[in-house]
Amino acid sequence: QVQLVESGGGLVQAGGSLRLSCAASGSIFSINAMGWYRQAPGKERELVARITSDGTIIYAGSVKGRFTISRSSAENTAYLQMNSLKPEDTAVYYCRCTAQTMGARVPNFYWGQGTQVTVSS
């Protein structure tokens, strides 16, 4: 199993910044990708940013140029630097990890518990 622990959410004024962290632990053989998703009240969960083991990165159009995803392979940790935050960025942010555990034949994906990000106007 893989456990994901997120941190870094909170309340910030519009235009401010926050940095989210997601640390993966457990019987990990390899991590294929780590990503951040968010879900606002009444809306579906959506991809924010994702980074693969070979460094390929994708961003949602709404955050491109403002958010930066990065990863520390040595620490099995992903980060999301969020700048120029807007009220519409308010949501619960979830970390997702695609990983292969020891003894598993195929990778699986795992979710964190979520961290609240609130941007006031």
Side-chain angles (χ1 to χ4, degrees):
Q1 283 294 330
V2 176
Q3 295 80 42
L4 301 177
V5 177
E6 300 144 337
S7 60
L11 172 65
V12 65
Q13 287 188 332
S17 298
L18 285 174
R19 188 185 192 220
L20 306 183
S21 299
C22 173
S25 63
S27 56
I28 298 171
F29 174 72
S30 65
I31 293 180
N32 295 3
M34 296 186 78
W36 292 94
Y37 293 70
R38 67 186 181 188
Q39 187 166 20
K43 294 188 177 182
E44 293 187 352
R45 192 172 298 189
E46 62 176 1
L47 172 68
V48 176
R50 182 175 183 265
I51 182 168
T52 64
S53 58
D54 66 359
T56 301
I57 292 174
I58 58 173
Y59 293 104
S62 59
V63 308
K64 199 172 293 185
R66 300 187 297 122
F67 291 11
T68 302
I69 189 171
S70 60
R71 176 184 163 187
S72 169
S73 298
E75 299 174 346
N76 287 338
T77 301
Y79 305 94
L80 185 68
Q81 178 66 42
M82 304 185 293
N83 298 329
S84 303
L85 282 161
K86 304 175 181 180
E88 50 264 43
D89 294 318
T90 296
V92 178
Y93 283 69
Y94 296 91
C95 177
R96 193 178 98 159
C97 174
T98 304
Q100 189 166 350
T101 54
M102 301 292 187
R105 293 191 297 172
V106 296
N108 203 346
F109 62 86
Y110 304 87
W111 289 97
Q113 79 284 358
T115 185
Q116 177 70 46
V117 171
T118 303
V119 184
S120 63
S121 56

